[in-house]
Amino acid sequence: MAQCVQSVQEFIQDSFVPMVAVLCSEDADRVTRKNNLNFSELLRPFCRLTSEGHLRDPSNQIQVVKNLKICVSNIVTEPPQQVVTRRLLSEVVSASQPAESSVANVITAGDYDLNISDRSLKASLPWYNSWKETLMELSTSKFYTATTPWFETYRETFLQSMPASDHEFLNHCLACMLVATSHENAPVEQFQKLSQEQHRIQHGSECTYPKWFIPNTLKYYVLLHDMGEGEEQRAESIYEDMKQRYGTQGCYLLKINSRTSVQSSNEQIPDPWSQYLHKSNFQNQEMYDESLTGIVNNMSVENSINAPEADGLDLPAKDAPCKTCNDHPLRLDQTSAHMDGIDALRAPVSDGKKVPSASSTHGACLTLNDHDRIRQFIQEFTFRGLLPHIEKNIRQLNDQVLVISDSYRLLFPKNPWYPPEAPELQIRKMADLCFLVQHYDLAYSCYHTAKKDFLNDQAMLYAAGALEMAAVSAFLQPGAPRPYPAHYMDTAIQTYRDVCKNMVLAERCALLSAEILKSQAKYSEAATLLIKMTSEDSDLRSALLLEQAAHCFINTRSPMVRKFAFHMILAGHRFSKAGQKRHALRCYCQAMQVYRGKGWSLAEDHINFIIGRQSFTLRQPENAVSAFRHILLNDSKQAASQQGAFLREYLYVYKNVSQASAEASLPQLPLPCIQSSATRVFFGHDRRLAEGEKQAASHVSLDQEYDRELSQQWRELEEQVVAIVNRGVLPVTFQPTQYCLNSQTDNMRFPLAVVEEPIIVEVVFRNPLKVSLVLTDLSLLWKFALKEFTLPHGSEASEIVSNEKDVQVKHSLEDLITTEVISEFCMNPEETKVARLKLLPHQTGELHIRGVVYNLGAAPSPGSVFSDGMFVRGRQDLEIQGPRLNSTKEEKTSVRHGPDRRLDPIITPPMPLLEVFFINFPTALLCGEIRKAYVEFANVSKVPLTGLRVVSKRPEFFTFGSHTSALTPLSPGASENCSAYKTVVTGSSSSSSSAVATTLVSPLDFGAGGNGSQPGVVDIPLPDSVLQPGASIQLPMWLRGPDREGVHEINFLFYYESTEKTSKMSHRVLRHTAIICASRSLSVRATACRSNTLPERSMERDGSMLVFVDVENINTNEAGVREFHIVQVSSCSKQWRLHSCINPVGDKDSKLTSRERGKLCFRAIKCRNQEATSNAAGRYTFADINLGNEQIISSTTPCADFFFRRCQTTELKKGFTTGGVSFGQSGSLSDSEGDIASVVRKCSEVDLNIVVLWKAYVVEDNKQLILEGQLHVALQTIGKEACSLSQKEEAQEMVLLKFRPELPPPLVRPSTEQLSHLIKTNLHYPESYDHPFPQKSLCMVPVTLTLSNCSMVDVDVVIDLRHKATSPETLEIHGSFTWLGQTQYKLPLKAQEVHKLQLTACFIHAGVYNLGTHRVFAKIANQDSTCEASQQSSMPALIVVNSI
Amino acid sequence: MMTMLGGEPFLLVSKQEQQNYPLYIRSVPSDSELKFHYTVHTSLDVVEEKVSAVGKVIVDQRELYLGLLYPTEDYKVYGYVTNSKVKFVIVVDSSNTSLRDNEIRSMFRKLHNSFTDVMCNPFYNPGDPIQSKVFDSMVSSMMVQTC
């Protein structure tokens, strides 16, 4: 139970005080009225006596009476009406609200810290925060307990308004004051009259009320003298007369009103009445102060909701069951009931009469002196009049009781109703008297006796009363000789309630008992008692008692916080039923502290809901909204219907709130949840995606998912092209163009948007509820600062315009920025959905997108009444937290976030806008297939476009043709069936003849080979290099199928600029991703071999080579591709060219059907022109050997283009993989060694590129198509096979990361394999030799060994003829022969020198011999370190020796 | 006072960590779930009281079963506390006379075993609401039995 201001003893004493009635003459009433008081009211503040009184008990012991209080009241002949009492109680409770400014009371109970004062009610959404601080201050003082003044007021009023009952005398009148004034004509007669009146009231038959204690009531005569009116002497004389008549102890002269009203304002007189009167004077309708009026008015409305409750004190119990099922405290009311409540409130109570509060000053005519006089008067009356009177009566009763006690009981039959003079009642009366004068010993024994008697008589009401008072007096006995008999109280309560059906008495008893138990720290007993007293007949009482019980629970030794909370909720419910909305709200708020954030979501939601509703009815809409918000924000576990109800109620409340404050900015809405970090911003216009055959560049769209790797690729491409444009250097201010910003992109800088181009913001909404939501009129909120960027620096921000507030100005805002509005956006239960909201800026400046604005509504559910019009307008901000910073130490140790400028684009001046369309762009190609397509470039902006470039990682895939080729952009339709190649009809194949067409071409013509040029970047040849606004141009484009089969994604980045440079945006880009499916065509393998034939002509002496080309049809699509024809084989090299085909080909073009394989053999020679023309350095010689009757000029577009592009890419790759090593090598090696290495390498190097041109006959849709294509093979080393498929792309293996310093590259020496190519050997001998063996057993054959040095350095050669074939097998087959003469030679050979060595072989039998048994070792001259390397053994040189 | 829905017997299980967050709540019938939440929450006070009282008397061999926490007109609330201070609460309809103290005790033991299994799951994060299907089905079967 909450802490009271009074101690328990005081409280009980004050609950039972001597009652004194007052009878006033009219004139006396008039005199006191000057002070705006009647006589009893005048005395009330002074009714507590400050000094001690004394009286003697029957045994002549002196009894001290301390701190006595008396109650003086006018005689009211009507017993108090229960309805009136009830209303009075209700009013005092609602008038007594917790003081808002009071210090927070925090009770620490276990893990919980409870704030019991009203503070929590004031703190809005983070309810917890504010009092957590006060808690810190107060947590030390553990014995802070809550005060509940409304309960005390209620109790006091309740006890005062108890109707007097026959079974007890405590509140019967003991004395009567008769008051007259000195100004009356005949005061003495007036007194007589009054005395008779009193007599009539007490003893007459017509009045049963008030009840009187003792038949001969003490009459006290008071002469009132108004100092301002009459002569004092007259009063004195009358008083003297009275003293004669009534004795000095029976009368008094009271002088008041000494102050004239004139001087009233000068003096400040305390007003002791105010604190007493507002409670008691309700009926007078005078004392309503303003706030009270408000509350009462509110209450009248509130009560109308609970109509059955308001008028039923004695509401029969039969109603209870139906009530309980309707108004279960934990029931979440459905909206229907509630809406009534709100509707009722909507007709607000502004008609409440406001009574001017001016009349509420009391005691205007009284001075402090007068106050003292009154105080003195009371003292005099009590000590001289009342106490002796009581003393006398106690004695009398004591005597009476002693005399009659035994005899009476025998005489009279037992009877539960006693006549007033019954001896049991006399005992009781005596007990009550003793009790009133604080003689608790005697009182207890009397009560105890009376109790026995009553119980014997089965007079239950009387017995209960005696039990109650016996218990109380036992408790109040000084020194506590006996323990407090709690069971007396329990029996009394039970009897009152169950037997007597008198709830009022039961309640009084319970209040007393609870207070006593509480003082003895028996909190749980007190709580049980109080809870037992709650019943259906009075909600107010139940509420107050439940609240007190709740307070008891936190005061137990181990505080029961949850019980506290639960009972607070029950109390809150009863308060609200009783119409005490404020108290109800307070209870729920206090309970909330326990339930909050503990995971009891159902309970939490319920409480929040009630708080919201109560706050709303109490006109605290902010609290209401935040409470409702809380329900909706959390992931609610409520059922769908419940959520729907919450939502509708929230909307309703919200609507009312927003209507009330129409001028304020839009409120924040809690639903649906916005996942702000998932917000994407897209800068881009509406693009035509496809138009007939045209297919637009894929570019960027919101439908694409973000791919970090991909965007990095695009970024690299853009860097590449920008670097080219800026002469190889990437500008410091470079910022990659980002069209779509999301959480993964770099949002540290302000993005750039172009004026008149739309900005699309994609907002992700999540509906957490199980009911559908409808958003209407959804649009973006923004702030815009107008700026002219074209002006140099002088552009300061003009005023900031926003569409956040001014609803009226909207039309002028349209000129600035067009805001697209989504008229309806539905969200299904628990759905996550994106909304794309568009802005179209018309001016340059700085834009800040702030949030979204929309009408929130519940989806109309079937059968719902509140389907339409339940929309509230509100906003939600888009606040995106930037990435966490982690670069400096400070940032690492603390949590800091960088800015995220996704939503703050800068609107720049107009920029050109390019659209690219592809015409006849294939989706599937054979590997190496050449296809011609067209590209259309269109400038769709109002600004000319220039500097158009395209960059790709796969430059070998496409070409726009060379500079040299005539730019005749045929229309795409005209070229449909033509070959992509430029051809010349020759009529015959050039395979056999020497008429091989050769052309010399510089790679620069094809945009390749230039230093510093990035191979990926291609300038697109625009006429005049400018594309005018609205113009479009179509350009041919050749594509070559990638060499590797599979699906290829090829990224194109188109780069372009505006003709006029602006500072904000230097360029723009357009992206395209082409997807090409490449299928296998041919596989070409080629090998170059040194021909061992003796050079016949001197010019071909050193440069002749055999090239074997192995072509295999590896196409797997047997149905589609019929056959491949090798149409032509071309060579491109700086040094070599194909000379002739040495294939004995029957058919002209070699045909390869599926899985077939063919071999072509060519002879290649060194180019003559290399030496001839000096300016030919770096040029390539193209030589075509056509196998058909058509020559494809390979030195033109597109064949040469693709050739050079391929070269570039392979070079690029090589550069990446081996470049570093080779540089290091040349640096670290000594000059000579480096030379040797290169010399040796050169010796075996060829650098011949073979281009195989083919045609494929393909059947597709019953139509035969001829596809053409080219495959490249690069021959680099003699004897090493090269393949068109480039062997798994140099096996891009995963390289293990090594964290060791890289070792210096090892000394690379020419390998033995390389060294073995230094010397070319050749044997010359007759193929068959006839020798007459019978005649001459030895056959000697001359053999010439030709040694030619292929390298450019001197070489020492050792020739060893003694060498025998190692394996015995060869011995057997070939027999043996011997070389005659010198068997080992050592020769120095100069560079390129040819030396002939005459040898003689000697045979002894006829047969076939292999002469090639010699071994040649070569060693570079002057190199001691290198050992001699065995040279490649020449082919078997067979000789037939015939015997004649 | 609370008014109770009569009729069907029901069972409600709740577990509490130190902080007294609900780990698992099941109730039959589910329409008056809120009421049971309040009931269980309130009963925690009694559990705490009992635990602190028991702790003083016998420290070693503490009986985990706390017995009847409090009876009301319509239902009975039983409590059980594990050694790690996880609280189990069962609420049964007081008209259900088939459930004696022993039955309740064995129900708690079963619950405890099942709960131990849940805790042994390495993927279960202590303190999270229990979402184990096995546990669910065990509780369901127990509730069916008592009906």
Side-chain angles (χ1 to χ4, degrees), chain A residues 324 328 330 332 531 557-563 566 569-570 594-595 597-600 602-603 606-607, chain B residues 1-3 14 16 18-22 25 33-35 37-38 40-42 44-46 48-49 56:
Chain A
T324 50
H328 188 272
L330 304 181
L332 288 164
I531 291 167
R557 197 166 40 78
S558 58
M560 299 171 129
V561 188
R562 299 169 198 90
K563 281 196 163 185
F566 183 61
I569 286 170
L570 295 176
V594 176
Y595 285 97
K598 297 276 179 190
W600 298 88
L602 278 181
H606 168 251
I607 298 169
Chain B
M1 275 309 291
M2 272 173 63
T3 35
S14 157
Q16 317 290 328
Q18 295 282 69
Q19 297 293 313
N20 292 318
Y21 284 79
I25 301 186
E33 212 177 331
L34 173 65
K35 175 176 68 189
H37 281 216
Y38 274 122
V40 172
H41 184 254
T42 308
L44 294 178
D45 274 335
V46 188
E48 265 181 16
E49 194 181 44
K56 276 174 200 156

Side-chain angles (χ1 to χ4, degrees), chain A residues 792-804:
Chain A
H793 295 293
S795 57
E796 67 261 15
S798 64
E799 60 169 326
I800 291 168
V801 192
S802 165
N803 72 342
E804 283 169 292

Side-chain angles (χ1 to χ4, degrees), chain A residues 313-592:
Chain A
L313 177 70
D314 293 320
L315 195 72
K318 65 176 192 267
D319 265 353
C322 104
K323 247 189 149 164
T324 50
C325 63
N326 282 336
D327 292 327
H328 188 272
L330 304 181
R331 191 185 173 87
L332 288 164
D333 307 52
Q334 296 296 321
T335 36
S336 55
H338 158 71
M339 287 300 172
D340 296 345
I342 291 181
D343 285 342
L345 197 88
R346 218 193 297 162
V349 280
S350 53
D351 54 336
K353 307 141 264 183
K354 285 190 181 168
V355 180
S357 55
S359 64
S360 64
T361 50
H362 307 288
C365 300
L366 298 175
T367 60
L368 284 176
N369 232 347
D370 289 336
H371 290 188
D372 282 341
R373 283 195 191 115
I374 297 169
R375 197 171 288 124
Q376 190 121 40
F377 159 65
I378 294 291
Q379 200 152 351
E380 194 72 13
F381 162 73
T382 312
F383 293 152
R384 295 285 182 80
L386 188 61
L387 286 184
H389 178 71
I390 293 173
E391 185 184 309
K392 194 178 78 194
N393 275 294
I394 291 175
R395 281 171 189 279
Q396 276 179 4
L397 285 168
N398 191 38
D399 296 344
Q400 241 176 331
V401 166
L402 287 177
V403 171
I404 58 171
S405 58
D406 293 327
S407 56
Y408 183 82
R409 254 171 240 145
L410 297 171
L411 290 173
F412 289 88
K414 294 181 166 76
N415 189 352
W417 293 280
Y418 298 94
E421 63 280 4
E424 285 90 348
L425 284 189
Q426 300 309 313
I427 297 173
R428 164 82 206 211
K429 197 177 275 184
M430 177 179 158
D432 283 349
L433 272 180
C434 291
F435 188 87
L436 288 177
V437 294
Q438 303 172 5
H439 197 325
Y440 301 118
D441 278 331
L442 191 53
Y444 174 75
S445 57
C446 292
Y447 283 130
H448 201 259
T449 319
K451 175 204 84 174
K452 277 189 210 154
D453 290 345
F454 293 137
L455 279 176
N456 283 338
D457 297 347
Q458 292 293 310
M460 293 318 287
L461 179 66
Y462 293 85
L467 277 169
E468 177 188 0
M469 291 316 292
V472 171
S473 33
F475 171 71
L476 286 176
Q477 275 175 19
R482 50 181 69 83
Y484 167 67
H487 58 282
Y488 280 17
M489 276 296 195
D490 295 340
T491 318
I493 293 169
Q494 208 178 339
T495 313
Y496 278 140
R497 197 179 55 200
D498 301 340
V499 181
C500 313
K501 308 281 184 217
N502 191 331
M503 283 310 282
V504 179
L505 288 171
E507 186 182 351
R508 181 186 71 182
C509 194
L511 288 174
L512 292 171
S513 181
E515 196 61 41
I516 292 167
L517 286 172
K518 202 191 85 176
S519 74
Q520 296 177 330
K522 294 173 179 164
Y523 288 105
S524 49
E525 287 88 342
T528 318
L529 187 72
L530 289 167
I531 291 167
K532 265 191 208 159
M533 276 309 294
T534 59
S535 65
E536 289 303 324
D537 64 345
S538 166
D539 286 317
L540 183 65
R541 187 212 311 135
S542 303
L544 286 162
L545 296 189
L546 279 169
E547 189 185 1
Q548 293 306 311
H551 282 286
C552 284
F553 283 125
I554 33 172
N555 281 318
T556 51
R557 197 166 40 78
S558 58
M560 299 171 129
V561 188
R562 299 169 198 90
K563 281 196 163 185
F564 160 77
F566 183 61
H567 286 94
M568 277 311 247
I569 286 170
L570 295 176
H573 176 72
R574 300 304 290 262
F575 268 130
S576 99
K577 276 174 76 182
Q580 301 281 353
K581 301 280 172 187
R582 250 164 224 285
H583 286 296
L585 179 58
R586 183 180 46 74
C587 287
Y588 277 107
C589 287
Q590 289 182 2
M592 188 62 183

